[in-house]
Amino acid sequence: MGRKKIALIGGGQIGGVLAQVAMQRELGDVVLYDVVEGLPQGKCLDIWEAMPVVGSDARGNGTNDYRGIAGADVVMITAGIPRKPGMSRDDLLKTNLGIMKTVAENVRQHAPKAFTIVVSNPLDIMVYAFQRMSGLPTHMVCGMAGVLDSARFRAFAAEAVGVSVEDVTAMVLGGHGDTMVPLTRFCTINGVPIEHFLAPETIKTIVERTQQAGGEVVALLKTGSAFVSPALSALEMAEAYLHDKKRVMTCAAYCDGEYGVKGYYIGVPAVLGENGVERIIELPLDADEKSLFQHSVDHVKKMIDEISW
Ligand code: APR
């Protein structure tokens, strides 16, 4: 049988954590691809040499040759340049679009059956671009955003209420940017609505902090963007696929009419299992939520429509 094969495109900050944790959890053997010579090889050697300490037999190989990703079960893409302070995710668009074209062509050629999770920003555009440029089935391509945005919301909410993060569920829909829509109505503490525990002003603060959480980290780090939380979030999605868990997770999924969106990727709750994005769950949004969601969708659409494909 052998272990599953996980190909990581981009061996930077997020790629490194992805490789480490995927190997540590024995989710599969890892191939780490990067354009920088020696970087993925060095990282993988270091991680592999740590595996006896944690008792994992997973292998890791770094490469600068796309042939190394051949036959991968899962591909996770973090290739690109990260945000610098003051830079919006949208500023990254041009550079990362060019990189994504090469990545898409190579994944199509070497790992066309993989479940692909795009992490590179601006996320909603990069995942759309990857699917369009690779031509891979829409349900086998998705973007990581909602799991991370929801995790941030959960962390803040758990702290404010004084309960375990494990008991907080949250849902953040829409694009992965300032227009994201944290749905407080669907945020619960083990099933009990969050409004039962927190005053409206406190909830509002949590919502705003969630929307700006990426920027908060960038402002502190100064030389890059968040990397542990995005990596662990993407791995949750990979695991849902590899273990056919049918997890309900918010991810950037291809909408074919759901939520009134046709032909674009946007953050929606979906079921992830052995068939990739198996279905999208349509929530009955109220008027306010609908309008916020639509605003977010319009922002993503506008950016995509402005690109000369
Ligand atoms: N092919 C493959 N890898 C590439 C390419 C390319 N054409 N161009 C650049 N890279 C690599 C870089 O060499 C670098 O190692 O992508 C890696 C990106 O890593 P970091 O700069 O450390 O960025 P990281 O923090 O990992 O974030 C990656 O995810 O969340 C997003 O905004 C973030 O778009 C960024 C991406």
Side-chain angles (χ1 to χ4, degrees):
M1 271 216 324
R3 272 182 293 271
K4 297 289 185 187
K5 180 167 176 175
I6 299 171
L8 309 173
I9 315 292
Q13 295 275 73
I14 300 178
V17 179
L18 281 172
Q20 182 197 327
V21 180
M23 285 172 66
Q24 198 164 340
R25 286 199 207 154
E26 286 187 321
L27 216 50
D29 289 336
V30 166
V31 174
L32 185 64
Y33 171 92
D34 203 285
V35 282
V36 180
E37 274 177 41
L39 174 77
Q41 291 87 345
K43 283 198 180 181
C44 278
L45 182 59
D46 182 30
I47 296 166
W48 178 62
E49 288 170 353
M51 290 304 108
V53 181
V54 294
S56 162
D57 287 306
R59 306 281 311 197
N61 281 304
T63 184
N64 308 115
D65 183 342
Y66 269 111
R67 283 174 296 187
I69 71 164
D73 298 287
V74 169
V75 170
M76 289 188 258
I77 303 169
T78 62
I81 58 160
R83 274 200 294 170
K84 307 270 155 51
M87 198 177 178
S88 78
R89 288 186 180 91
D90 299 349
D91 293 336
L92 290 174
L93 181 58
K94 246 187 145 188
T95 311
N96 285 353
L97 215 45
I99 293 172
M100 197 52 80
K101 188 162 191 288
T102 316
V103 175
E105 283 161 4
N106 280 287
V107 173
R108 178 180 56 200
Q109 187 179 343
H110 301 287
K113 294 207 162 27
F115 179 53
T116 299
I117 303 168
V118 178
V119 182
S120 309
N121 273 319
L123 192 269
D124 308 275
I125 289 122
M126 288 300 125
V127 62
Y128 175 93
F130 174 85
Q131 193 283 324
R132 183 175 175 137
M133 291 162 167
S134 68
L136 295 181
T138 50
H139 68 279
M140 291 298 278
V141 175
C142 68
M144 190 295 295
V147 177
L148 169 59
D149 295 329
S150 305
R152 286 169 166 161
F153 191 105
R154 290 170 63 198
F156 305 147
E159 188 185 48
V161 180
V163 295
S164 164
V165 291
E166 283 193 85
D167 291 320
V168 186
T169 54
M171 206 172 284
V172 181
L173 306 193
H176 182 52
D178 306 335
T179 62
M180 72 177 77
V181 189
L183 290 181
T184 49
R185 207 157 56 90
F186 295 96
C187 178
T188 73
I189 310 295
N190 197 12
V192 182
I194 187 134
E195 287 88 352
H196 182 76
F197 300 90
L198 299 175
E201 314 82 74
T202 314
I203 296 176
K204 188 162 172 278
T205 312
I206 292 174
V207 166
E208 286 167 2
R209 191 169 177 202
T210 302
Q211 285 165 329
Q212 283 144 30
E216 188 180 350
V217 175
V218 171
L220 290 164
L221 289 179
K222 296 184 182 70
T223 54
S225 46
F227 55 99
V228 175
S229 51
L232 297 187
S233 301
L235 281 169
E236 282 297 291
M237 295 168 65
E239 191 172 24
Y241 170 74
L242 288 169
H243 295 171
D244 188 24
K245 302 225 357 144
K246 318 285 186 206
R247 291 269 328 256
V248 177
M249 297 174 138
T250 311
C251 59
Y254 183 86
C255 292
D256 189 21
E258 293 90 350
Y259 290 94
V261 179
K262 200 163 170 67
Y264 292 92
Y265 276 84
I266 195 82
V268 288
V271 177
L272 298 191
E274 63 181 345
N275 300 308
V277 178
E278 300 192 346
R279 66 194 160 93
I280 289 170
I281 297 171
E282 284 198 84
L283 300 170
L285 300 184
D286 66 25
D288 281 353
E289 292 159 353
K290 261 192 198 145
S291 122
L292 288 170
F293 183 77
Q294 194 55 46
H295 174 63
S296 191
V297 170
D298 289 345
H299 179 72
V300 171
K301 271 190 186 170
K302 184 168 173 286
M303 293 202 48
I304 288 175
D305 295 344
E306 279 171 1
I307 295 166
S308 46
W309 293 95

